[in-house]
């Protein structure tokens, strides 16, 4: 909820008139009073009020002022690096972070201990380290579904696009997808198969094509 009293006091302090406030913010102070809440007020309008009056947004919203985040612990920094870059050499971590190698190894050890009891564990192969999920947390079926869905969201390759064009022509001419294209496009979930029937393009594909046409 907006702190209307703070806004009015700050306007008086800075000599900001109602007309200027309305012009700069896009809504008047009286309209804000009538609304009594943030309903209908855009984020941009809140930011404009804060900028115009020089008020911390948290104070403007009746919250405690924001504080700077405390520096991350060494093991959290290592965790972030491994999450983003996968398997990394400890010496590369030391170079990138400008830490001594001993500091990196201590942070890696701390992370290894902290991850006990979670779904992840730290794997070390020589001086290479990476994060890995415990296999018992995800069944093979879950892994397969997630991998398949991720694959399907990737843009089509040039070869897949060529096969899709071939499948569209085959569908228009014969009502089914030719076997070669069906095999390639089936891996992306673009082909529908029924036992004993010829493969056809998935209904979602046909709908998307019709929408674009």
């Amino acid at each position: 909820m907006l702190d209307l009293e703070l806004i009015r006091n700050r306007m008086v302090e800075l000599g900001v008139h109602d007309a200027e406030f309305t012009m700069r913010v896009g809504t008047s102070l009286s309209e804000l009073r009538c609304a009594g809440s943030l309903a209908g007020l855009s984020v941009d309008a809140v930011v404009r009020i804060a900028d115009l009056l020089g008020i911390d947004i948290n104070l403007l919203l009746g919250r405690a002022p924001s504080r700077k985040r405390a520096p991350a612990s060494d093991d959290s920094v290592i965790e972030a690096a491994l999450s983003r870059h996968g398997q990394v050499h400890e010496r590369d971590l030391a170079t990138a972070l400008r830490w001594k190698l001993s500091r990196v190894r201590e942070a890696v050890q701390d992370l290894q201990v902290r991850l006990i009891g979670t779904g992840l564990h730290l794997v070390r192969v020589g001086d290479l380290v990476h994060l890995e999920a415990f296999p018992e947390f995800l069944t093979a079926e879950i892994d397969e579904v997630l991998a398949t869905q991720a694959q399907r969201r990737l843009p089509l390759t040039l070869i897949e696009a060529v096969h899709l064009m071939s499948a569209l022509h085959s569908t228009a001419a014969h009502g089914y997808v030719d076997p070669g294209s069906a095999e390639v496009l089936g891996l992306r979930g673009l082909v529908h198969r029924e036992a004993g029937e010829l493969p056809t393009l998935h209904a979602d594909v046909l709908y998307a094509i019709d929408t674009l046409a």
Side-chain angles (χ1 to χ4, degrees), residues 4-137:
L4 298 176
E5 184 178 356
L6 176 63
I7 293 174
R8 167 50 73 185
N9 290 341
R10 188 64 174 160
M11 287 174 65
V12 172
E13 184 181 334
L14 297 177
V16 175
H17 299 293
D18 289 348
E20 181 184 358
F21 182 91
T22 302
M23 181 182 68
R24 297 276 297 275
V25 175
T27 188
S28 68
L29 189 58
S30 59
E31 287 173 333
L32 292 179
R33 283 201 188 95
C34 291
S37 70
L38 292 172
L41 190 65
S42 69
V43 174
D44 286 343
V46 175
V47 172
R48 285 195 292 270
I49 295 173
D51 287 344
L52 174 63
L53 303 178
I55 302 174
D56 182 282
I57 286 184
N58 287 286
L59 286 175
L60 186 60
L61 298 176
R63 302 194 299 238
S66 59
R67 297 177 180 177
K68 290 185 178 180
R69 181 180 295 179
S73 60
D74 286 359
D75 60 304
S76 293
V77 173
I78 297 297
E79 183 178 19
L82 298 182
S83 296
R84 176 169 294 182
H85 297 285
Q87 190 177 61
V88 182
H89 198 288
E90 285 182 328
R91 292 187 182 278
D92 293 337
L93 286 168
T95 300
L97 298 170
R98 297 181 180 178
W99 292 356
K100 290 183 178 180
L101 186 58
S102 59
R103 181 179 175 183
V104 170
R105 287 176 172 163
E106 184 178 348
V108 166
Q109 186 174 6
D110 288 345
L111 177 59
Q112 197 166 17
V113 172
R114 180 164 62 80
L115 291 176
I116 293 174
T118 71
L120 295 174
H121 65 124
L122 190 143
V123 178
R124 177 191 292 279
V125 181
D127 290 330
L128 292 169
V129 290
H130 69 274
L131 296 178
E132 196 171 281
F134 280 109
E136 58 265 30
F137 281 80

